[in-house]
Amino acid sequence: MKSITLLQPRKIVFGVNSLAELVDDSILNNSENILLLVATPLLEAIAPIIETLKNKNKAIQLIEYVFPGEPTFTQFNSLLEMSEDFNPDCVIGIGGGSVLDCAKLLAALIGNTQKLEDIVGIGFLNGRAKKLICLPTTSGTGSEMSPNAILLNETTAAKSGIISPYLVPDACYIDPILTISLPSRLTAETGIDALSHCIEAYTNKFAHPTVDTYALRGIELIANNIQKACENGQDIEARSALALGSMYGGLCLGPVNTSAVHALSYGLGGKFHVPHGLANAILMPEVLRFNLSASPKRHAQVARALGITITGSDEEVALAGIEKLIAISKACHIPQRLTEIGITAEIVPELADIAMNVTRLLKNNPREVTKEDAIAIYTKLL
């Protein structure tokens, strides 16, 4: 069995109303200056926590995260400038993946001689002096569990990944209550993103038994609950299942990571500002069809985790799984064609060019993807 390195937070708190436990975290007890980066809809929910921390004589800097979509280099650097003088002992991120990614990078770069541009890629970050706590408010990116952060580079119109063990939080609190207010559309898109993490990890060229268990259980949890959560956002059991599935997807991101689905989505998000989960949802069935021949057995196991019970060859079961994935997506009212989100044939070559540069992820794909292959996949989805 080949070697693998598993990275995850030292402390994981999971459960309904676990947010209330945050104020007693030993990290905060040992911190004097605490920076909170918080998504706007969560300001009211965390107000009592801020008050409690102030009563404990903690100095607090609250930054409201107001940027739409994925954060750019410029937007992140503005957050860094805001927080440098405060010089926190601990950074807390409360929000979706973009908020958490920025919080992770703030914890790493406040007081650091390195700049954002210096650390793009794998393993370039020289360390992190600040403690870091993440609280996700979507069940999607898994950022609270992973060593990854993704920002949009305005210069290249592509997303840039920063991957480092130093970006793994010290602690994360996963409270399904924080996802209750998430609209149906975002529940669907972020849920499918989490599903893609699990599916791409399991079908990955570098798949590993230590991660397979997380991936398959994550697929099962999300497939069985995403429609329920979209139809009734107050269904706390469905919300909890999605949060757990997303956590498992996040655990897959460090040691194995994603592959062609995410690589092909980069241009859609970076150049045309298509939401990340939506891009993955549209692309995933066709990419799975493309990859199936490289690992029929693994794709059949994905289908079983999605709920397929038919008998037949691995290929037949896998194809049924792809149809089940499409059915789940449709039930959650996710667009199925690129033309539905404004992508035309003229754009396809540019999308393919951007995808081909995402070698960090394409190398993980079970089947080699050429530019011609990428163009064919996009074209089938027009």
Side-chain angles (χ1 to χ4, degrees):
M1 189 180 295
K2 62 181 181 291
S3 174
I4 191 170
T5 299
L6 303 179
L7 301 170
Q8 62 188 63
R10 294 177 185 173
K11 180 177 181 178
I12 302 169
V13 182
F14 184 99
V16 174
N17 293 321
S18 58
L19 173 64
E21 301 175 37
L22 176 63
V23 291
D24 295 318
D25 194 289
S26 60
I27 294 172
L28 299 186
N29 289 335
N30 293 315
S31 299
E32 296 302 321
N33 297 340
I34 300 168
L35 167 65
L36 293 100
L37 182 66
V38 183
T40 302
L42 277 299
L43 291 174
E44 184 176 343
I46 58 103
I49 290 173
I50 293 175
E51 190 63 27
T52 300
L53 291 173
K54 286 181 177 179
N55 289 338
K56 292 184 176 185
N57 297 317
K58 307 297 183 183
I60 303 295
Q61 182 181 23
L62 173 63
I63 299 179
E64 180 182 356
Y65 185 93
V66 297
F67 305 127
E70 290 176 305
T72 65
F73 278 32
T74 299
Q75 288 167 342
F76 170 77
N77 283 325
S78 72
L79 295 174
L80 184 60
E81 186 177 351
M82 276 187 248
S83 52
E84 283 277 14
D85 288 342
F86 182 67
N87 192 27
D89 307 305
C90 175
V91 176
I92 302 175
I94 306 176
S98 295
V99 178
L100 301 189
D101 285 357
C102 285
K104 290 160 73 170
L105 291 169
L106 286 174
L109 291 180
I110 292 173
N112 196 330
T113 56
Q114 287 186 299
K115 304 301 181 187
L116 178 60
E117 292 76 10
D118 300 330
I119 64 171
V120 172
I122 301 175
F124 294 110
L125 182 60
N126 62 11
R128 189 186 83 219
K130 315 300 181 183
K131 294 297 184 180
L132 173 65
I133 302 175
C134 287
L135 293 87
T137 61
T138 67
S139 298
T141 68
S143 179
E144 71 279 1
M145 305 299 297
S146 83
N148 304 349
I150 308 295
L151 297 181
L152 177 60
N153 186 331
E154 307 99 312
T155 303
T156 62
K159 293 190 285 187
S160 294
I162 299 99
I163 298 90
S164 169
Y166 298 117
L167 292 183
V168 178
D170 296 293
C172 70
Y173 287 72
I174 304 173
D175 187 343
I177 290 290
L178 296 179
T179 69
I180 285 286
S181 62
L182 197 68
S184 176
R185 180 183 66 82
L186 290 177
T187 298
E189 292 176 5
T190 56
I192 295 291
D193 185 28
L195 186 58
S196 70
H197 296 157
C198 296
I199 290 175
E200 290 206 278
Y202 190 77
T203 57
N204 200 293
K205 185 190 294 184
F206 301 104
H208 194 279
T210 57
V211 176
D212 287 347
T213 301
Y214 295 136
L216 289 175
R217 183 58 176 148
I219 293 167
E220 182 182 350
L221 285 165
I222 297 166
N224 288 338
N225 290 279
I226 187 169
Q227 186 176 348
K228 296 176 187 176
C230 287
E231 292 174 349
N232 176 15
Q234 300 296 313
D235 185 337
I236 195 60
E237 289 189 9
R239 290 289 191 185
S240 297
L242 283 187
L244 186 56
S246 177
M247 186 191 88
Y248 287 149
L251 286 169
C252 295
L253 287 177
V256 176
N257 218 333
T258 55
S259 53
V261 173
H262 275 66
L264 268 65
S265 79
Y266 265 36
L268 290 168
K271 181 75 174 179
F272 299 101
H273 308 294
V274 176
H276 177 64
L278 174 57
N280 287 343
I282 294 174
L283 290 167
M284 188 156 49
E286 201 57 48
V287 173
L288 291 180
R289 285 189 213 279
F290 175 83
N291 285 341
L292 199 164
S293 62
S295 51
K297 186 176 181 62
R298 288 235 152 207
H299 284 74
Q301 286 299 107
V302 166
R304 297 297 186 198
L306 287 168
I308 298 301
T309 58
I310 64 168
T311 57
S313 67
D314 286 340
E315 184 178 49
E316 289 169 336
V317 173
L319 288 170
I322 293 171
E323 292 305 315
K324 176 67 177 289
L325 187 61
I326 292 170
I328 291 171
S329 184
K330 286 181 177 178
C332 296
H333 305 291
I334 293 175
Q336 302 298 299
R337 317 297 301 181
L338 291 174
T339 46
E340 294 178 61
I341 57 172
I343 303 300
T344 61
E346 293 77 17
I347 295 169
V348 164
E350 183 177 6
L351 289 174
D353 283 335
I354 295 172
M356 288 300 98
N357 287 323
V358 193
T359 54
R360 174 177 67 87
L361 301 182
L362 287 178
K363 67 179 176 59
N364 301 332
N365 206 58
R367 182 179 171 189
E368 182 184 359
V369 181
T370 66
K371 180 179 177 180
E372 290 71 27
D373 293 329
I375 288 173
I377 291 169
Y378 289 127
T379 300
K380 288 177 182 178
L381 291 167
L382 291 174

